[in-house]
Amino acid sequence: MTGFFIALLSGALMSVQGVFNTQVTKTTGMWVSNGWVQFSAFTVCLVAWLIAGRDSVMALGKVEPKYMLLGGAIGAGITWTVIKSMEQLGPAKAALLIVIAQLIVAYVIEVLGLFGVEKSPLEWRKIGGMALALIGIAIFQWK
């Protein structure tokens, strides 16, 4: 049950962060804002690392496959795309589309067993759920 609440918190924080970042971008520009987001995240992680534990930074060199280290670069792309989508669509519409895209891509990763994730069987009820979510987005967009 804890994972359920953490996931809800994650979604809420992502929506608030997207709004904050979009507002900062209006004053500073895209790349200053994005750089600030990544720098402030690094600072929080550094402080947490100093307080909570001292895992070896050198262990990063042992990560295999090496492309798994691209998470930070992907994070910069996520920040950019969230800011642009919220700026152009508004927070609610952008969040809906972001969440359904996350769901679809995550399910494809599971079904195909990509990136070291344990392969899961295709389930039609899950595809039906995603289709229902897409219908919900269409209803939400309907004027």
Side-chain angles (χ1 to χ4, degrees), residues 73-123:
I74 292 169
I78 291 168
T79 302
W80 183 83
T81 56
V82 169
I83 290 169
K84 294 304 282 182
S85 63
M86 286 198 174
E87 177 184 279
Q88 294 178 12
L89 301 173
K93 288 180 186 176
L96 275 169
L97 294 169
I98 289 166
V99 168
I100 192 66
Q102 286 177 319
L103 180 63
I104 291 168
V105 171
Y107 192 57
V108 168
I109 289 169
E110 276 186 23
V111 168
L112 298 178
L114 301 175
F115 311 120
V117 171
E118 188 174 327
K119 197 171 185 177
S120 298
L122 180 72
E123 295 182 41

Side-chain angles (χ1 to χ4, degrees), residues 10 31 40 45 49 54 59 84-85 88 100 103 113-114 121 128 132 136:
S10 175
W31 298 112
S40 60
C45 290
W49 178 78
R54 299 285 172 82
K84 294 304 282 182
S85 63
Q88 294 178 12
I100 192 66
L103 180 63
L114 301 175
L132 186 59

